[in-house]
Amino acid sequence: MTATEYVLTANCVVWVSIGMYVFWMSRKAAEIDRRISQLEVLQERGEGKV
């Protein structure tokens, strides 16, 4: 492999990794949003601790 091929391969690996990280972060953010919604419902019912 030439130097250019190594650079292109590394570039692809970096961008795939960034994409996977962004996807993972969006899943975690959605999970946190769901949990906050659950806690708000519990608080409105008087069942939650705040």
Side-chain angles (χ1 to χ4, degrees), residues 22-48:
V22 168
F23 175 75
W24 179 76
M25 288 298 291
S26 69
R27 298 282 298 184
K28 287 293 181 183
E31 182 180 321
I32 291 169
D33 285 342
R34 281 192 303 272
R35 184 65 180 141
I36 289 172
S37 295
Q38 289 174 347
L39 290 172
E40 287 172 343
V41 168
L42 289 174
Q43 183 180 9
E44 289 172 2
R45 292 182 187 171
E47 299 173 12

Side-chain angles (χ1 to χ4, degrees), residues 4-24:
T4 304
E5 290 171 332
Y6 281 117
V7 169
L8 289 174
T9 302
N11 189 27
C12 288
V13 169
V14 167
W15 281 107
V16 167
S17 299
I18 290 171
M20 290 171 60
Y21 178 73
V22 168
F23 175 75
W24 179 76

